[in-house]
Amino acid sequence: MAKIVIDSQKCKGCLLCISVCPRKEIVVSDKMNRRGARIVKFKDDGLCSGCGMCAIICPDCCIEVYK
């Protein structure tokens, strides 16, 4: 089972990671970070395949993928 970790303070809320996730495991959170951006969060329901597309597309390198 794969898992991703998102650095919420670096996230600028571009939502690119949501658009490329094939299993829709990343969603918009209700929380905002210090920058005032609405951040994303990982569902962590065991369906993540660990493909790494979210980490690849993130322009600020906020996402780490663990398999």
Side-chain angles (χ1 to χ4, degrees):
M1 173 171 64
K3 177 178 180 157
I4 66 170
V5 175
I6 301 168
D7 184 341
S8 61
Q9 293 308 316
K10 287 173 57 178
C11 179
K12 64 181 176 187
C14 69
L15 309 181
L16 289 173
C17 53
I18 292 175
S19 69
V20 298
C21 182
R23 298 195 178 180
K24 306 301 180 203
E25 288 297 298
I26 306 170
V27 295
V28 179
S29 172
D30 294 333
K31 299 178 183 175
M32 297 179 103
N33 63 12
R34 288 181 287 194
R35 298 169 73 177
R38 188 158 309 268
I39 57 174
V40 295
K41 67 179 182 178
F42 177 54
K43 286 184 187 177
D44 200 14
D45 58 8
L47 298 177
C48 178
S49 65
C51 70
M53 292 302 296
C54 55
I56 292 168
I57 201 159
C58 182
D60 295 316
C61 302
C62 301
I63 302 173
E64 295 178 7
V65 180
Y66 298 95
K67 287 190 176 185

